[in-house]
Amino acid sequence: MAITHRRIVAANGDSGLHESAETHDTSKMHGRKHCTKQLNKSLAVAAALVFLGLLIPIKLFERRHHDIWSSQLRQPIVITDDGSAPPKDWQRWGFYGFRKNFNCNEYLNDGTKPIPTMEYWETVLAVYNRVVDPTYKFDNEVPPTEGYRLNVDGAQPYYAKLSPGKGRGLFASRDIQKGEIMHNGTKSDIVFPDGLSWKRFMVALPREMACDLSEWTFTQQFKQGGPMRVVSSLNIAILMNEGDTLKDVNVQPEDGNGQPSEYSAVFYAMRDIKKDEEILMDYSVYDTDYTAAGIGHTMEARGTIFLA
C-alpha cells in the first residue's frame, strides 16, 4: 500500500511527496520490526530444534551405553571392560557358546600362557565386585598369587608354575604326607548365585580373562539332591590340573569320614607327595552339568546352535 500511495501523490506535486515518503518510511520501519520479530521467532524455533536434535541422540547414547537392565532380574548389567555394550544375545549363550563367541580355543591351547599376576587377579576381582558380589575380598594375609590362608601355617602347600604339556599348574612347596589337607574350597571358592550371574561376569571381563574363567569354571552339588551350582576361584588354587591317568591323581575331595565325596570341597593328599611334584586331581569327581547349573541351555553363537 505505501508504494501505491507514493505513486498517486507524486503525480499531484512535490508537496505530497515528502508526506508519502514519510508514510513509506514509517511502514518500512514497522515492516522491519515485524520481520525482526519473525526472525527472532524463527531463530528460537531453530535453536529449539537443534537442541532437541542434539539431546535425543545423547539420551539414546546414554541409554544404550549406561548400565543395561536385565529383563529377568531387573538388576544392572555393567558394561564390558572396554566400555562397550555386551554382545547381542549373550543371555542365550551357554558355556560352549561363550567359548565359541570369544574365540577361546587358540588362546586356551597355548601352553605358554604366564601365571596370573597380582594385577591380573585384581582386575578379575574388580569385575566380580562390580557385577556379582561387591562384598567379596581376597584373603587379608595371603595374596591370590599364593592362594589363600589354609590354616595357621599360612597358604596351602603348593605354588604355581608352568607344567610341561599342561600349561599353568600347581606344585608341592614341600614334602606332603598322606591325609594332609591340600585345598579347602570353602575358604576360597566363589559360588555364583545363578547361571545368569556367571554369564554377566563373563561378558564384563576382557576376552582373554573370560576365556580363562571358562576354563576355571566347574559345576558341583554341595549335598545329595541339592542344586547344581556354578563354581570357580579367584586365586591360584583354580590352576590345579587333572592327572593323565588315575595313577597320577594325588589329591581328592573327601567327606568328614575320610571317604571320597563329590559333595565336598576339601581336598586331601591321597598319598605322600614329594616337594616340587605336581598336584593333580580327577576332574570327573564332580558332575559336569551346565544345563542344571543354568549355563548350558540351547544357545546361539554366530549362526550356529550349540547344546551344552
Side-chain angles (χ1 to χ4, degrees):
M1 291 180 64
I3 296 176
T4 305
H5 176 65
R6 184 178 181 185
R7 285 178 179 174
I8 295 172
V9 174
N12 295 330
D14 292 338
S15 60
L17 181 60
H18 297 292
E19 180 183 354
S20 63
E22 289 176 1
T23 303
H24 173 71
D25 291 340
T26 301
S27 299
K28 185 163 63 174
M29 181 177 65
H30 286 299
R32 286 176 179 172
K33 289 182 179 180
H34 177 73
C35 290
T36 301
K37 290 181 179 179
Q38 290 296 109
L39 179 61
N40 289 339
K41 289 181 180 179
S42 298
L43 290 174
V45 171
L49 291 174
V50 170
F51 176 74
L52 289 174
L54 293 174
L55 181 62
I56 291 173
I58 290 173
K59 290 300 182 183
L60 290 175
F61 179 88
E62 289 177 348
R63 183 176 180 182
R64 180 177 181 181
H65 291 275
H66 274 64
D67 289 355
I68 300 172
W69 289 81
S70 163
S71 60
Q72 296 181 10
L73 298 184
R74 309 306 294 174
Q75 295 178 349
I77 300 167
V78 178
I79 57 178
T80 58
D81 186 75
D82 62 3
S84 62
K88 183 180 179 181
D89 296 332
W90 64 270
Q91 292 183 359
R92 298 179 59 192
W93 300 350
F95 178 85
Y96 296 113
F98 276 94
R99 284 199 172 191
K100 174 69 176 180
N101 280 283
F102 290 164
N103 299 313
C104 291
N105 286 345
E106 182 177 355
Y107 171 76
L108 293 178
N109 289 331
D110 179 8
T112 64
K113 295 187 297 296
I115 302 299
T117 63
M118 187 66 190
E119 181 181 6
Y120 178 104
W121 290 120
E122 287 175 341
T123 299
V124 175
L125 175 64
V127 175
Y128 185 78
N129 287 159
R130 201 156 34 120
V131 302
V132 181
D133 181 2
T135 66
Y136 182 85
K137 298 179 181 179
F138 290 140
D139 190 286
N140 290 329
E141 299 181 25
V142 180
T145 51
E146 298 177 16
Y148 58 93
R149 185 176 178 81
L150 179 63
N151 50 42
V152 294
D153 296 325
Q156 61 271 41
Y158 48 72
Y159 62 93
K161 75 171 188 176
L162 294 183
S163 173
K166 293 181 181 295
R168 296 171 286 200
L170 298 177
F171 294 79
S173 57
R174 57 171 173 79
D175 288 343
I176 297 167
Q177 294 182 347
K178 178 181 178 179
E180 279 193 52
I181 294 180
M182 296 295 295
H183 166 61
N184 188 343
T186 65
K187 294 185 176 182
S188 74
D189 290 349
I190 54 174
V191 181
F192 290 86
D194 49 42
L196 185 60
S197 62
W198 179 84
K199 294 179 181 183
R200 184 183 299 117
F201 182 47
M202 290 289 285
V203 297
L205 286 167
R207 186 188 70 85
E208 289 186 353
M209 289 185 179
C211 290
D212 281 336
L213 263 295
S214 75
E215 188 169 51
W216 300 338
T217 294
F218 60 98
T219 60
Q220 184 183 1
Q221 289 176 295
F222 294 105
K223 63 180 181 180
Q224 188 172 6
M228 188 67 72
R229 306 298 296 273
V230 183
V231 187
S232 188
S233 187
L234 303 186
N235 61 70
I236 63 167
I238 199 64
L239 302 180
M240 191 182 298
N241 283 319
E242 183 177 38
D244 292 328
T245 68
L246 289 179
K247 290 183 179 181
D248 298 324
V249 175
N250 50 25
V251 297
Q252 67 179 1
E254 297 178 2
D255 60 21
N257 297 318
Q259 298 300 311
S261 174
E262 62 188 285
Y263 308 116
S264 175
V266 184
F267 283 70
Y268 294 81
M270 299 169 62
R271 56 173 174 79
D272 291 346
I273 302 173
K274 295 294 184 180
K275 181 182 178 181
D276 297 322
E277 183 180 347
E278 185 167 10
I279 308 301
L280 299 169
M281 66 172 291
D282 177 12
Y283 286 170
S284 67
V285 70
Y286 294 135
D287 288 338
T288 299
D289 193 338
Y290 297 132
T291 299
I295 60 173
H297 302 295
T298 301
M299 52 252 164
E300 187 176 89
R302 294 183 179 175
T304 303
I305 300 298
F306 294 87
L307 290 175

